[in-house]
Amino acid sequence: MSFETTYADFSVDPPRLSNAEAGFHGGDFAGSHVALGAEGAVTLDFEVQDPQDIPQATLTITALVSKLGSSLGYAPMTVLLQGETLAQDLTVPGGGDLPHDNVLAVPGDLLKPGTNRLEIRSSPKAASTLWLYRVTLDPVWERGRSERARTAGAARDSVFAYRTELRQAHSSSAPWQSAPRLLFHLDRGEQSLPAQLGWRGEDGAEATIGFDSGMADFRGCYRAEDGTAYEYRGDLTDRWPFSDETEHLSAYPLHRFCTEEGWGGGWHRSHDLRLLVDDGGAPVEGVHWRDRHGNSGSAVLHTIHRDVEVTDVDASDEYDDRGEGADNLLVRERTKWLAWDDTARLDFTLARPAAAASYTLTSANDAPDRDPRDWRLHGSHDGRNWTPLDARTGETFAGRWESRQFTLRGRARAYRHYRLDILRNAGAGQTQLAGVRFAEAPDGQSFTGYYQRHDEGPIGYRGTVAATDLPGPSADPGLAPELEAAAASLTETSRTLAALAVRLRRR
């Protein structure tokens, strides 16, 4: 490698630099860029090991010219390397909308061993300001290397806090009102920050926002739980890299998911997803986003209850002559258990001790007066000594084949045996049920959604709770972004080849 990854990112103060030292004259940090007035300049000193290996380099300067009121701005720039002019009075479009990438060829014979100096000047004739966002420099054969490293470096500071304001929609005369802080972290392991983010709270409130290129501010809309719509805006107050302290920044849970992508007829392991959104309202139940690479995704949070395997059931009575025995309670077909009594007892043995957090009873096909009305649930380690867990009175079922879930209160303990004592039914001389299931408490929420890469169609996307896995220090921080990008590229290549193989087999 003839020279290291080289970039200057002026979206933060101080700027984010790699293989560069920056100097300023006549410029001020302006939130997401450096603003250079007439004759303002930025210098970058960078190191080159062996310039003989570089026939040409690619210089990319991302810049914009501010407007003059409603008119186009004017601030030509001159670019010099070692004092030699690469571009004279280059006119960047002055529409004041989005930054432009200005790509210049750097002759290899202008590079020298050791320290090299790049200078970007705003013209003395400038009538408005030159906004400088970032600069990257790469050997011509390695186009985009520094931009990938810059993006990965910026993405490491992936926990954001914003000061926010709301103003009622379609009321430009209404004042902006202070709103709760917005704190968020979204990381899919692809070193790309979000360009857009949206979420919905459990109370029905929802928001959609878009960020400027440096994440310094956002604009969007917010709809409160009562349906009132607002304009929504925010200014960045702080950002941090993810760490073991992140989950303590909010009273809301930090979600960690193991994820899978659905393509080629199956599900395949994907990057882990970390997710936290705290807007001062209710916890979120759904999030959607688009990142700066053009990839987009959606995740709807929900709970997966894990059924516990029951290996045996013993009933105080059952109607075997009609095939209505207690074993029918363990299958998911439309069968039932019937006892010739208005009270009954059911003893369940599990495949392993489990801490049931809930249980589900399903009513049978007919005779609502046979439905259980009052009962008690007990747990036991040995099948002889029983501990009371739950008691219900006056319960009813609204229809046939209706499944009702009952949650156990208090701290759940693991038992191998569970007993359902039915003390009273709805008035008949027989008692019946179609099913009984036990479920363990979930470790956390899961999600279901979709993911779509910028040049492909949408694919399935789902996740389950992941074990805590905090990032450790890197032995070589400068090399890490390139390795991460290479790993992501290999993963995507593997996925594409597998999908191609599936299509070829179908022909």
Side-chain angles (χ1 to χ4, degrees), residues 11 32-33 99 133-134 150 193 211-217 292:
S11 66
S32 61
H33 54 272
Y133 290 81
R134 55 189 172 272
R150 184 198 69 82
L193 294 173
F211 301 95
D212 83 333
S213 61
M215 304 294 292
D217 56 60
R292 297 194 180 276

Side-chain angles (χ1 to χ4, degrees), residues 16-32:
R16 215 177 265 112
L17 304 170
S18 176
N19 188 36
E21 292 185 4
F24 303 90
H25 170 71
D28 296 303
F29 179 69
S32 61

Side-chain angles (χ1 to χ4, degrees), residues 37 53 162 232 355 380 433 447:
D53 294 341
Y162 290 86
Y232 191 31
S380 173
L433 279 171
F447 80 82

Side-chain angles (χ1 to χ4, degrees), residues 262-345:
W263 48 268
W267 288 95
H268 308 271
R269 185 76 168 88
S270 183
H271 301 280
D272 283 1
L273 172 67
R274 290 196 303 259
L275 179 63
L276 170 66
V277 179
D278 180 354
D279 65 358
V284 297
E285 63 179 15
V287 178
H288 57 89
W289 68 91
R290 182 174 64 83
D291 69 22
R292 297 194 180 276
H293 293 158
N295 308 316
S296 58
S298 175
V300 175
L301 278 61
H302 58 89
T303 298
I304 297 178
H305 291 278
R306 299 176 300 181
D307 282 357
V308 177
E309 182 183 359
V310 179
T311 58
D312 186 56
V313 56
D314 181 67
S316 59
D317 188 48
E318 57 188 356
Y319 191 20
D320 275 336
D321 291 347
R322 292 287 300 272
E324 295 176 346
D327 287 345
N328 290 339
L329 295 169
L330 308 184
V331 300
R332 293 184 180 270
E333 299 173 2
R334 289 202 164 187
T335 57
K336 72 179 180 182
W337 156 76
L338 175 67
W340 290 92
D341 202 343
D342 59 358
T343 64
R345 188 195 71 246

Side-chain angles (χ1 to χ4, degrees), residues 159 184-187 242-257 273-277 301 465-466 468 470:
V159 184
F184 83 87
H185 168 67
L186 175 66
D187 186 356
F242 178 81
S243 73
D244 56 357
E245 296 299 318
T246 301
E247 62 184 334
H248 303 304
L249 298 175
S250 170
Y252 294 173
L254 169 69
H255 298 283
R256 294 181 176 89
F257 297 110
L273 172 67
R274 290 196 303 259
L275 179 63
L276 170 66
V277 179
L301 278 61
V465 177
T468 302
L470 299 176

Side-chain angles (χ1 to χ4, degrees), residues 27 93 125 156 270 316 378 389:
K125 299 176 289 185
R156 280 195 290 271
S270 183
S316 59
H378 298 78
L389 302 177

